[in-house]
Amino acid sequence: MIKFTVITLFREAIEPYLKTSMMWKAVDKGLAGFDFVDLREFGLGPHRSVDDTPYGGGDGMLLRCEPVFAAIESVKAKDPSAKVILPTPVGEVWNQSMAQWMAGVLPECPFLGPLRGARPSLRPFEKGISATPATHYIILCPHYEGYDERILSIVDYKISLGKYVLTGGELPALIIIDSVVRLIPGVLGGAQSAEIESFSDGDNLEYPQYTKPYDFRGMKVPDILLSGNHGEIAKWREEHSGKA
Ligand code: ADE
């Protein structure tokens, strides 16, 4: 059982997806659990403010430390073992091995660690990467233009979904959750699909697949797949497993 607690201002943007298809089936089977914490509840003052202007000037608003720490601590008070994920464009770029490791199906930790070559003095509040996967992850979804650097002192994993900038952490949270949960043994339909996944290094794409009809607008299914020769089919599939 793996649990994700999402700290967000926009629960309504995330929840419907987690109540759909595979994610919901995983919950139904007791293999995954999802929970939400409303960051606004920990906001400051009458307006429950969670952000403020940057010291030194500049555009935009930054997520403040107090609401974020209070929200995370409220979850950790119930489960101190929970690890904190921060989706950010400057994190380690998410890949299949990281998802496999978090799902508990890959023994070696694929995360490189927090500094990634940068001088430690430039990254004063980063923590080390835990080398064992947790069973409870807290995903903090930042919004606005960014976050106070000191928030990194309470973060275990900084994860980027790619070299582009999104408006918030909700989409990254969903992608991280989906890619991990579908790998948990028992979530995917056939045992075979899990097997293919577990040998995949993420660069090794699956082979082309076909279903009925045999002939669609002149595009025919390769005859080898209808041959019944399992050895030859396996060879064909191996040959046609594309590299990314
Ligand atoms: N937040 C904004 N952009 C992001 C990205 N590319 N990956 C993860 N979190 C983000």
Side-chain angles (χ1 to χ4, degrees):
M1 161 78 154
I2 190 163
K3 184 170 174 184
F4 288 93
T5 299
V6 184
I7 300 178
T8 175
L9 294 167
F10 302 101
R11 173 180 181 156
E12 67 281 8
I14 305 182
E15 202 172 14
Y17 186 81
L18 298 178
K19 290 203 159 161
T20 309
S21 184
M22 281 299 168
M23 296 303 107
W24 198 241
K25 277 192 192 147
V27 174
D28 221 33
K29 291 180 180 171
L31 298 170
F34 308 123
D35 207 357
F36 295 91
V37 169
D38 181 3
L39 188 59
R40 188 69 64 197
E41 272 183 27
F42 299 88
L44 306 169
H47 298 297
R48 299 216 171 267
S49 168
V50 299
D51 60 340
D52 216 324
T53 52
Y55 277 116
D59 286 340
M61 305 285 271
L62 302 180
L63 212 49
R64 287 177 67 122
C65 286
E66 304 95 314
V68 168
F69 275 66
I72 290 174
E73 282 160 6
S74 77
V75 182
K76 287 205 171 197
K78 287 176 247 157
D79 181 2
S81 75
K83 299 283 184 210
V84 181
I85 294 174
L86 177 73
T88 162
V90 295
E92 278 190 65
V93 179
W94 184 242
N95 63 32
Q96 187 70 0
S97 300
M98 293 169 178
Q100 287 172 334
W101 182 74
M102 283 196 177
V105 296
L106 185 82
E108 309 88 47
C109 176
F111 285 89
L112 298 173
L115 300 178
R116 297 169 61 239
R119 276 181 290 134
S121 59
L122 295 178
R123 303 253 173 229
F125 295 106
E126 288 188 88
K127 298 203 307 189
I129 284 285
S130 161
T132 41
T135 51
H136 184 183
Y137 291 98
I138 300 167
I139 307 185
L140 171 67
C141 299
H143 246 261
Y144 312 113
E145 276 73 18
Y147 46 84
D148 187 304
E149 183 76 7
R150 291 167 290 188
I151 285 172
L152 294 179
S153 68
I154 204 171
V155 166
D156 296 287
Y157 304 97
K158 289 197 308 173
I159 293 174
S160 163
L161 264 296
K163 300 290 172 194
Y164 47 81
V165 181
L166 299 163
T167 52
E170 284 75 16
L171 287 172
L174 278 179
I175 291 169
I176 293 165
I177 292 171
D178 185 296
S179 55
V180 171
V181 168
R182 67 188 290 282
L183 292 175
I184 297 169
V187 172
L188 279 193
Q192 224 196 343
S193 21
E195 215 173 278
I196 293 165
E197 296 277 347
S198 64
F199 288 104
S200 156
D201 58 9
D203 291 332
N204 204 0
L205 301 178
E206 287 178 25
Y207 45 78
Q209 298 192 83
Y210 302 85
T211 185
K212 293 178 186 73
Y214 167 71
D215 184 340
F216 178 69
R217 298 184 181 179
M219 295 180 281
K220 295 194 179 74
V221 175
D223 285 326
I224 186 80
L225 300 178
L226 289 84
S227 69
N229 184 333
H230 296 295
E232 285 300 310
I233 291 173
K235 208 171 122 208
W236 184 91
R237 286 180 168 167
E238 174 68 32
E239 282 165 10
H240 289 80
S241 293
K243 284 275 179 191

